[in-house]
Amino acid sequence: MLMKKCNHQVGGFALTTVAWLLCCISTGLPQWQVWHYEDPVVLKPTVALVGMWRACVFHTDSNSSNTRVCYQYNYDDSIPLYIRVNQHLLLVSSFLGLFGKITTIIALSNVHMGRVRKNGTCNPFRLSGILNIIASSFLYFPILFNYIAIMLKWRVAFPPSFNFPFQPDTQKMGSAMALAIISAVFFLLSGTICLSSNLAIGKMPRSKI
């Protein structure tokens, strides 16, 4: 009887897994912001990618081929405060998503083994749902900060070795931000499913032996 009612929980686990993977991928990608500007050295249009952990720029060589050069942020680098804050928020969101995934596995294992407590205060489904919703909230803040930085065209003072301008001619959102948005939505959906599944299991009558 319980196993027939696990479809929603399995769906929540699948969403949690996809959300966590997308969160980790978006964290490492540099495509949070896409900059377009004219390089003052070579006087050519240049495309740069600004991420949470590194920034990359495309250089055109004599053969008209693009070469991507990336610069990793160091702890001592003077990068904007919102990027530093986003780094921590993304890491926290990734860890919360991982813990939510683990608790969902434990909850599904309990259902499979028949160890489901009615109205249990430590039901793993409830804990997993809460963790996923919190992970979604933590992930929304980097998305919001990055969106505001693009819309308001915040000036960015990268280290001189990067050879980046303070402000590009034009900038737009990148694919990493889109992945983060999808991840945040999936975390929220999976958390809602886990919480609703917990309530549904709590209302199920115990089998009489």
Side-chain angles (χ1 to χ4, degrees):
M1 181 68 176
L2 282 173
M3 294 305 296
K4 292 181 179 179
K5 295 182 177 293
C6 281
N7 292 334
H8 293 297
Q9 291 91 325
V10 173
F13 171 72
L15 283 175
T16 301
T17 302
V18 175
W20 178 70
L21 289 175
L22 292 178
C23 179
C24 294
I25 293 173
S26 64
T27 299
L29 289 177
Q31 290 93 339
W32 280 80
Q33 297 181 22
V34 181
W35 287 16
H36 296 271
Y37 62 94
E38 185 173 336
D39 194 319
V41 178
V42 297
L43 299 178
K44 290 183 179 180
T46 304
V47 177
L49 307 174
V50 178
M52 297 299 114
W53 299 94
R54 55 180 173 155
C56 301
V57 60
F58 290 91
H59 294 291
T60 304
D61 55 23
S62 57
N63 297 326
S64 298
S65 60
N66 290 327
T67 303
R68 191 172 83 168
V69 179
C70 294
Y71 304 93
Q72 200 80 18
Y73 305 149
N74 296 321
Y75 184 78
D76 297 330
D77 288 338
S78 58
I79 61 174
L81 177 61
Y82 81 91
I83 291 183
R84 290 294 188 195
V85 173
N86 286 350
Q87 289 177 344
H88 292 85
L89 290 173
L90 288 170
L91 287 177
V92 171
S93 181
S94 298
F95 281 115
L96 288 174
L98 177 60
F99 294 148
K101 179 181 176 182
I102 293 173
T103 53
T104 304
I105 294 175
I106 295 174
L108 289 173
S109 176
N110 288 344
V111 172
H112 179 73
M113 300 298 294
R115 298 193 300 265
V116 180
R117 296 181 180 179
K118 185 177 180 180
N119 297 327
T121 57
C122 296
N123 193 314
F125 278 121
R126 179 180 300 170
L127 178 59
S128 176
I130 293 173
L131 288 174
N132 288 332
I133 291 176
I134 296 176
S136 175
S137 301
F138 272 87
L139 192 52
Y140 272 120
F141 282 107
I143 296 171
L144 177 62
F145 292 155
N146 193 67
Y147 177 79
I148 294 175
I150 294 174
M151 292 296 102
L152 298 183
K153 297 181 179 180
W154 286 350
R155 294 170 62 89
V156 180
F158 284 114
S161 59
F162 286 20
N163 294 321
F164 275 33
F166 289 107
Q167 195 174 41
D169 297 329
T170 60
Q171 57 182 318
K172 61 181 181 180
M173 295 178 289
S175 57
M177 187 172 173
L179 291 179
I181 293 174
I182 297 173
S183 175
V185 173
F186 281 6
F187 270 134
L188 182 60
L189 290 176
S190 62
T192 304
I193 290 173
C194 288
L195 288 178
S196 62
S197 300
N198 173 67
L199 294 175
I201 290 177
K203 295 178 181 179
M204 290 181 60
R206 291 182 178 178
S207 59
K208 297 181 180 180
I209 301 177

